[in-house]
Structures are given as C-alpha cells and as structure tokens.
Amino acid sequence: MNGLTILGIAFGLAMDAFAVSVAAGLTLEQVTARHRFRLGFHFGLFQFLMPLLGWLAGKGIAAQVQAFDHWVAFGLLCLVGGKMIWESRATHEAPSVSRHDPTRGWSLVTLSVATSLDALAVGFSMAALGVSVWSASIIIGLVAGGMTVVGLGLGQRLGSGCGRWAERVGGLVLVGIGTKILVSHL
C-alpha cells in the first residue's frame, strides 16, 4: 500500500470524527484549547489504536466483528446524540450554566470508540493484505486528530449564539451519522 492510498484511507476514516467534532463545536459555549486538545487527542489516539487492534486480531475474527460493528457505532452515536437532545430541553436558570461538554467523561470515550470502529475494519484488511500497520496507523491517527480540531473550530463558528438549538442540531447530527453508518452497512 503506497503513501497516497494510506492518506486517502486516513481522510476517509477521519470524516466521521470531523462530523462529530463539528457537532461538538455546536454544543460548546466557548471552544477552548483544552477542548481542542482533549477531543483531537482522543479521536486521534483511538483512530491510531483501532487499526492496530484490528491487525492484531487478524482475519480470523474479522467477519464476526464486521457483522455487528455498524450496530455498535449506531447505538453509541444515538446514545450520545439523544442525551444531547434531551439535555438541550432543560431550562438553564442562568446564562453561566454551561451546556453538555462532549469532550469530557464517558461522552468523550463513547464518541472516540464510535468514530473509530471503521478503523478496526481497516486493520483487519491490512492484516489480510499483509500490509505493515504501524506507519498507516500513525498517519490515520494524525489525520483524525487534525480533522477533529478543524471540525471543532468550524462547529464553534457555526454554533455561536445558537444556544440550545445548536445542542439539538449537534445531537441530531450524531444520530444522523449513526444512521448513515448503519444504513451503509445493511
């Protein structure tokens, strides 16, 4: 596999992370350097690790995991998106009360796993093709981290001043991404 092919795969895998980070940027009142670091680092780390795990697992169990990975991604994204929509309905007593922060806690872990499950399948494919996974995983992780930071900034620009509507839209985007993943695999 040449470098251009790996770069294409990396950008393709990063699209889910990019879309989710745009949705996260919509929900945050103010995107800080901490938000960028947390989301970019975790999305990049999980996108780096999943091909390695897939490669290690090899083609022996690839068919078993590929049979349900889209259901897992769908469920995780719908869970987080639904939570964001639900929380947007709550009335905030003061403007200083912040909205849901998807760059912290279980939301961060859930989104990181959900956006990187496709990379697990790529790792399986690399094992089947006998491709070295290390350099590809590094590139995939770096591209995903970079695209996440860009998406977070874009979401912030689009969502500033939109309040609870931005959080609802962000939740709907996550549910939409989960649905797209599910439909594309059925």
Side-chain angles (χ1 to χ4, degrees):
M1 213 177 272
N2 66 29
L4 192 56
T5 302
I6 292 172
L7 198 56
I9 290 169
F11 275 103
L13 290 172
M15 286 300 115
D16 285 346
F18 175 76
V20 169
S21 66
V22 169
L26 287 170
T27 67
L28 294 168
E29 192 170 323
Q30 176 69 31
V31 174
T32 65
R34 259 184 196 191
H35 293 122
R36 287 184 185 95
F37 174 76
R38 276 195 303 254
L39 203 62
F41 175 78
H42 283 86
F43 280 14
L45 177 66
F46 276 71
Q47 288 279 5
F48 164 75
L49 291 174
M50 287 297 194
L52 292 175
L53 292 174
W55 187 82
L56 288 172
K59 59 185 174 182
I61 63 167
Q64 296 167 350
V65 174
Q66 286 176 343
F68 65 86
D69 68 343
H70 50 283
W71 285 103
V72 172
F74 171 74
L76 292 173
L77 288 169
C78 285
L79 179 71
V80 173
K83 184 174 185 262
M84 288 169 59
I85 294 166
W86 180 260
E87 288 177 354
S88 74
R89 298 180 65 205
T91 57
H92 297 293
E93 296 169 3
S96 63
V97 176
S98 65
R99 294 175 272 173
H100 172 72
D101 183 356
T103 69
R104 303 183 121 209
W106 285 110
S107 291
L108 176 60
V109 174
T110 302
L111 291 173
S112 297
V113 170
T115 58
S116 63
L117 284 174
D118 287 345
L120 186 70
V122 168
F124 288 132
S125 300
M126 289 179 179
L129 295 172
V131 174
S132 172
V133 73
W134 289 102
S135 61
S137 291
I138 291 169
I139 292 168
I140 290 167
L142 290 173
V143 169
M147 293 291 288
T148 299
V149 170
V150 169
L152 199 54
L154 179 62
Q156 173 66 38
R157 283 192 200 99
L158 294 174
S160 61
C162 292
R164 284 183 269 166
W165 285 103
E167 194 165 10
R168 288 180 188 151
V169 169
L172 288 172
V173 167
L174 293 182
V175 171
I177 292 168
T179 303
K180 177 200 147 288
I181 290 170
L182 180 64
V183 169
S184 70
H185 284 84
L186 292 180

